[in-house]
Amino acid sequence: MNRPYNFSAGPAAIPVEVLQQAAAEMLDWQGSGMSVMEMSHRGKEFISIYEQAEADLRELLAVPPEFKILFMQGGGLAENAIVPLNLSRAATVDMVVTGSWSQKSQKEARKYAAEVRVAASGEASGFTTIPDPASWQLSRGASYLHLCSNETIHGVEFQELPDLKALGSDAPLVIDFSSHVASRPVDWSRVGLAFGGAQKNLGPAGLTLVIVREDLMGHALPACPSAFDYKTVADNQSMFNTPPTWGIYIAGLTFQWLKRQQEGDATGVAALERRNIAKADRLYGYIDQSQLYLNKVAVTARSRMNIPFFLRDESRNDAFLAGAKQRGLLQLKGHKSVGGMRASLYNAMPMEGVEALIAYMQEFERQHA
């Protein structure tokens, strides 16, 4: 099947095999006589889908047994409120601000925590760098430290999660990994809670993943709604309220697709990481030698998933986007807050899509150099 290449930052491309299986099962899931969208979330059919999805995700991300996997709703934006409602204990929260999403997290947390302190910020660089963890100003006794491990808009990614204990802090680390979950391994020894919307690497909008260490649950503020209390959600196997059943189903198919991926002797997430490194290196390599295009992010902080780039002559932006669309290269316009272009190279984007984009960029450069 020849489809356009979708570079959207989210909702984003879903593997064709997953879409084809969902289409084949749309009217009748495995002889049940029902679409997944029609099933009771408490029926044996959907329970089997849920249990398989949870098991596959735990295997893919190597989630330790002391962590609970929750399937929730509201996306990363809702988690910006739900996390402090559960973890702040109405005390001090530290934030590392590296772009638009962690800015939003900081603003939302101020509604629930007694104090929110910015331990470090990349704003002075225009959010093109990540402050060295050795320079972070950490609070004594902070309830947790929050960071966005991949900033979708500014294209900044932590290549390694900080070791807070080595920095002299006992605070659990909370990461928003919405836009690079399952693109690389997670060092769970350094993480207390990870959350992310599924609509970038794992499925459709509407499903939110929360992976939380058990000892961090059970401390929700009295004002926390029951449906957002992690312990309540965990105690009810994500079924306290009706979960996003279709989103869980599609994510489950995506987990199975991820498990089937192979790159050399690597499988699953390890295989995808190799592929993602190759895709990002190829596109950054072309941009860096180009006379027309520019990426502003420090090499050590560049995202593998979201690659913003700019035309040195921005009067040609509209022409670039129109030509890209004609060639089946979709949704390359940068976020309105930063402008320019952005190519999101999530797991479902094949190297062929990256090569097609580079071929067009070369053609456009020859015409407009």
Side-chain angles (χ1 to χ4, degrees):
M1 177 187 294
N2 293 321
R3 303 179 75 224
Y5 293 112
N6 178 7
F7 293 92
S8 172
I14 293 175
V16 171
E17 292 174 44
V18 170
L19 295 175
Q20 289 172 333
Q21 183 173 350
E25 296 178 340
M26 176 65 77
L27 297 180
D28 183 1
W29 182 79
Q30 299 188 9
S32 67
M34 296 177 286
S35 168
V36 173
M37 286 187 284
E38 302 173 297
M39 290 177 180
S40 165
H41 60 294
R42 301 190 188 282
K44 64 178 182 180
E45 294 86 359
F46 182 74
I47 292 296
S48 70
I49 292 171
Y50 160 80
E51 290 177 343
Q52 187 65 56
E54 183 186 35
D56 286 341
L57 181 60
R58 188 174 292 277
E59 177 184 346
L60 273 169
L61 298 186
V63 179
E66 66 269 21
F67 284 76
K68 292 289 189 180
I69 295 175
L70 312 179
F71 293 127
M72 299 181 68
Q73 298 170 78
L77 278 179
E79 288 303 320
N80 283 337
I82 297 170
V83 169
L85 280 167
N86 278 271
L87 269 60
S88 74
R89 308 192 193 199
T92 300
V93 169
D94 279 347
M95 293 273 178
V96 175
V97 179
T98 51
S100 293
W101 288 106
S102 44
Q103 281 184 317
K104 294 177 188 292
S105 303
Q106 174 200 178
K107 182 178 179 180
E108 192 72 10
R110 291 187 187 280
K111 299 177 182 179
Y112 309 103
E115 182 182 14
V116 174
R117 296 189 68 256
V118 176
S121 174
E123 188 168 10
S125 72
F127 296 126
T128 59
T129 62
I130 292 175
D132 183 345
S135 71
W136 295 0
Q137 301 297 308
L138 302 177
S139 303
R140 184 181 299 275
S143 297
Y144 63 89
L145 181 141
H146 174 111
L147 60 82
C148 180
S149 48
N150 186 76
E151 291 277 2
T152 319
I153 292 174
H154 287 90
V156 172
E157 182 174 17
F158 281 78
Q159 302 306 321
E160 181 182 14
L161 294 175
D163 182 352
L164 296 188
K165 285 186 170 56
L167 297 175
S169 173
D170 290 326
L173 177 65
V174 170
I175 63 171
D176 173 355
F177 66 174
S178 295
S179 53
H180 70 166
V181 57
S183 72
R184 60 192 304 156
V186 176
D187 184 350
W188 294 105
S189 71
R190 298 185 175 186
V191 175
L193 183 149
F195 70 83
Q199 69 272 14
K200 301 176 186 295
N201 252 338
L202 296 179
L207 170 65
T208 309
L209 302 173
V210 176
I211 304 176
V212 54
R213 209 172 62 215
E214 289 186 47
D215 64 293
L216 298 178
M217 300 189 301
H219 307 288
L221 299 179
C224 182
S226 298
F228 296 157
D229 184 326
Y230 293 142
K231 188 173 190 312
T232 299
V233 177
D235 288 347
N236 288 274
Q237 291 75 51
S238 298
M239 305 279 179
F240 179 74
N241 63 327
T242 304
T245 54
W246 179 254
I248 293 170
Y249 162 67
I250 297 294
L253 296 184
T254 306
F255 301 158
Q256 292 168 17
W257 177 84
L258 286 164
K259 289 174 64 175
R260 293 195 297 270
Q261 300 311 295
Q262 187 158 356
E263 199 73 25
D265 59 352
T267 59
V269 170
L272 267 298
E273 182 178 34
R274 289 187 186 180
R275 204 173 297 171
N276 291 328
I277 290 172
K279 291 185 298 184
D281 285 352
R282 181 77 176 93
L283 183 51
Y284 282 122
Y286 170 67
I287 292 171
D288 287 345
Q289 61 82 46
S290 166
Q291 298 302 306
L292 184 63
Y293 308 103
L294 171 70
N295 174 272
K296 301 177 182 179
V297 178
V299 172
T300 55
R302 284 176 166 178
S303 171
R304 299 172 185 170
M305 295 286 96
N306 309 104
I307 302 181
F309 61 94
F310 300 85
L311 276 66
R312 295 180 191 271
D313 178 1
E314 295 201 21
S315 69
R316 303 189 187 278
N317 283 2
D318 289 344
F320 178 88
L321 290 168
K325 187 174 182 180
Q326 289 174 359
R327 290 159 179 78
L329 306 170
L330 305 182
Q331 305 205 67
L332 284 163
K333 187 175 183 179
H335 192 273
K336 61 184 179 181
S337 66
V338 297
M341 311 298 157
R342 175 175 52 179
S344 292
L345 310 184
Y346 297 131
N347 287 338
M349 175 60 64
M351 179 63 88
E352 291 79 6
V354 178
E355 295 293 355
L357 173 58
I358 292 173
Y360 169 62
M361 292 171 71
Q362 291 171 327
E363 176 190 341
F364 192 87
E365 183 167 7
R366 286 193 296 269
Q367 293 171 352
H368 299 281

